[in-house]
Amino acid sequence: MCAVRVDHGVDHDGAVDLLRRSYAAVPVGETVRLAKRTSNLFRPRSAPSAPGLDVSGLGGVIGVDPGARTADVQGMCTYERLVDATLAHGLMPLVVPQLRTITLGGAVTGLGIESTSFRHGLPHESVLEMDVLTGAGEIVAARPDGEHADLFAAFPNSLGSLGYATRLRIELAPVRRYVALRNVRFTDLATLTDAIGEITATRSWAGEPVDAMDGVVFSPGEAYLVLATFADDAPRVSDYTGQDIYYRSLRRLTRDWLSIHDYLWRWDTDWFWCSAAFGVQHPVVRRVWPARWRRSDVYHRLVRLEHRHQVAARIDRLRGQPARERVVQDVEIPLEGMADFLHWFAREVRMSPVWLCPLRLREPAGPGSARPWPLYPLSPGQNYVNIGFWGTVPIAEGAADGDVNRLIERAVSDAGGHKSLYSDAYYDRQAFDRLYGGETWRAVKDRYDPDHRLTGLYEKAVARR
């Protein structure tokens, strides 16, 4: 492997200057927001009256250093573009979130997760340093130690309330051309819990190594762990970008193989299973729906159009159907409480399937304890499972929109867990501050955004500003 850094011809300094000038042009008191074409947020927001920040030049890979196994990446670079750059060198980011248009900056400031998270934690844990445009309009180089270590630690899960990352240097890991998959079925959740604990501890199952792990629960009596092993060759490879639908294969195949590229984006083609809401999984529709439109960002744009125009909701009313509540959440539950939570969820919420992604904070490379991340405080040494569920449920007679989400928030807190903030949240401020490091956030906010020009974390996540 070449040990020479490969630059990608990005005019990073010019792009940062453009961003700073656009920030200075936003009138004091106006909402500051990025001008970006795509979003993976599921919470509605108020419309800003001022132009968004110009990030048009911040979507690239600055350079890859194969010898050091690092990449310098602009904050608005999508993982799709980042992966294309790193796979060319036989490398990949330590954690690659499952949707193509998630940006590196977004995964760090808003959290991300994927099947290597039981080994490598969350994407922000492989960040070595980052440049941040703060609320004071300054570019600050934040690292784990030194003058701006407080900003480095508080940036994950700050959702842009403390600033925007313009450049991040991240660690990379070697990867092979193919991924061998084992789809292991479980008929009870207690056995599934034990298996996740064993695999996390040993990084193996039934005598074979496990490099990546996630899973799907169709019901408490039917769940699958997908155990992935990176490989140099494969007897065959499957293709889930055409007629075949990936999540359905778990029930059909016990062994499967994918190219590393297709493995990383295996969930994107059908947005896990959410493409069914648009009819894309029907064989006739699938044949005529262009392959270039089988992408999470296309489906997300359709959801935003529906939210704006309420076409499906109007049709449901004409048919006499009850209104529906959107339940789109990812929650982290301690492993030992996973089975109880899933049983409760199946009984009370009744959505299926759900996604499982085991998670453990990354172990330190040297002596000492794992680094704390105060705005999303997970416990070092604790095994968690991310449980993802995305859809709608009918609003029962006498109930209100949001009741089911509030019920889920209480159940997650009772289980000692957390939920991601990319979607609807209903916490009061006191509970929110307790769960998401409010005291630390305020101290860092006052230092780096003394005039509070950037929207606050609670205001973004709960008040939807």
Side-chain angles (χ1 to χ4, degrees):
M1 181 184 293
C2 175
V4 177
R5 174 187 166 95
V6 179
D7 292 314
H8 287 244
V10 172
D11 180 13
H12 181 66
D13 291 341
V16 171
D17 183 62
L18 192 61
L19 173 65
R20 295 183 70 170
R21 285 190 278 117
S22 68
Y23 183 73
V26 177
V28 174
E30 296 287 353
T31 300
V32 177
R33 191 166 295 168
L34 300 179
K36 51 185 293 191
R37 297 178 60 186
T38 62
S39 173
N40 287 284
L41 294 179
F42 273 87
R43 57 178 187 274
R45 298 177 293 173
S46 58
S49 56
L53 301 186
D54 191 335
V55 294
S56 58
L58 289 170
V61 177
I62 301 169
V64 176
D65 188 332
R69 292 180 181 171
T70 62
D72 283 271
V73 187
Q74 294 180 301
M76 295 299 300
C77 181
T78 64
Y79 272 92
E80 181 174 33
R81 181 174 292 183
L82 174 56
V83 162
D84 285 347
T86 62
L87 286 185
H89 302 283
L91 299 168
M92 62 175 274
L94 271 63
V95 180
V96 178
Q98 58 275 12
L99 304 182
R100 294 173 184 264
T101 56
I102 292 175
T103 63
L104 178 58
V108 171
T109 194
L111 303 187
I113 195 169
E114 238 297 338
S115 56
T116 56
S117 288
F118 81 104
R119 299 168 53 210
H120 297 310
L122 300 172
H124 60 266
E125 296 192 83
S126 56
V127 175
L128 300 172
E129 62 182 37
M130 56 185 165
D131 296 339
V132 179
L133 173 70
T134 70
E138 301 172 343
I139 300 293
V140 168
R143 299 179 179 86
D145 302 303
E147 181 183 2
H148 303 298
D150 56 345
L151 178 59
F152 186 91
F155 196 78
N157 207 42
S158 62
L159 304 182
S161 65
L162 301 177
Y164 298 102
T166 60
R167 178 193 65 89
L168 305 98
R169 178 169 294 171
I170 63 169
E171 297 176 74
L172 303 173
V175 72
R176 298 179 180 179
R177 294 181 61 192
Y178 300 101
V179 182
L181 303 177
R182 286 177 286 167
N183 302 323
V184 183
R185 179 171 176 165
F186 294 85
T187 56
D188 72 90
L189 297 176
T191 306
L192 174 64
T193 299
D194 291 342
I196 292 173
E198 179 182 337
I199 295 164
T200 301
T202 66
R203 300 186 181 179
S204 66
W205 178 256
E208 297 181 37
V210 176
D211 295 313
M213 164 174 58
D214 65 344
V216 174
V217 177
F218 292 94
S219 72
E222 184 189 6
Y224 298 84
L225 279 183
V226 181
L227 308 181
T229 304
F230 300 148
D232 292 322
D233 49 48
R236 60 175 179 81
V237 289
S238 296
D239 179 7
Y240 297 106
T241 63
Q243 290 299 108
D244 284 344
I245 297 168
Y246 176 65
Y247 80 98
R248 294 181 179 176
S249 72
L250 308 188
R251 287 172 147 167
R252 188 177 76 250
L253 301 174
T254 57
R255 295 271 179 172
D256 202 359
W257 292 264
L258 290 170
S259 70
I260 181 61
H261 178 275
D262 286 355
Y263 174 77
L264 293 177
W265 305 129
R266 67 201 181 283
W267 292 119
D268 189 85
T269 300
D270 283 286
W271 213 14
F272 287 84
W273 33 81
C274 298
S275 65
F278 310 103
V280 181
Q281 295 182 23
H282 189 284
V284 175
V285 175
R286 199 169 185 86
R287 279 195 292 270
V288 299
W289 190 289
R292 67 181 183 277
W293 290 356
R294 296 177 202 156
R295 292 172 52 99
S296 59
D297 53 332
V298 171
Y299 306 136
H300 203 293
R301 284 197 290 271
L302 294 175
V303 169
R304 289 203 301 272
L305 286 172
E306 166 58 26
H307 178 77
R308 184 181 305 162
H309 300 293
Q310 298 288 303
V311 175
R314 292 174 186 173
I315 293 173
D316 284 343
R317 285 196 296 271
L318 290 173
R319 293 176 172 175
Q321 298 295 319
R324 300 188 71 84
E325 177 179 348
R326 183 176 62 187
V327 180
V328 177
Q329 304 288 352
D330 278 80
V331 302
E332 264 79 51
I333 302 295
L335 176 60
E336 58 270 20
M338 179 193 73
D340 287 343
F341 180 85
L342 287 172
H343 279 297
W344 173 87
F345 188 86
R347 183 174 64 251
E348 300 294 334
V349 183
R350 291 177 291 180
M351 287 175 61
S352 68
V354 301
W355 184 56
L356 302 182
C357 188
L359 160 70
R360 182 183 176 96
L361 287 181
R362 191 178 176 191
E363 299 293 340
S369 60
R371 183 178 303 280
W373 304 101
L375 271 59
Y376 203 76
L378 302 175
S379 298
Q382 170 69 56
N383 294 332
Y384 295 88
V385 177
N386 176 283
I387 303 173
F389 37 92
W390 316 290
T392 63
V393 296
I395 299 175
E397 185 176 353
D401 188 18
D403 283 356
V404 173
N405 280 282
R406 291 183 178 93
L407 188 68
I408 291 169
E409 287 181 352
R410 290 193 293 271
V412 171
S413 293
D414 290 344
H418 279 75
K419 72 175 227 176
S420 299
L421 297 175
Y422 70 87
S423 190
D424 298 314
Y426 297 87
Y427 300 107
D428 61 50
R429 189 178 290 272
Q430 183 178 7
F432 186 87
D433 284 352
R434 173 176 53 83
L435 291 168
Y436 298 102
E439 184 176 348
T440 298
W441 177 84
R442 277 188 289 273
V444 179
K445 178 76 166 176
D446 288 343
R447 180 182 179 192
Y448 294 95
D449 185 15
D451 296 325
H452 287 220
R453 292 196 63 194
L454 303 176
T455 305
L457 181 58
Y458 182 83
E459 286 72 24
K460 280 177 173 279
V462 181
R464 303 175 181 178
R465 294 182 189 168

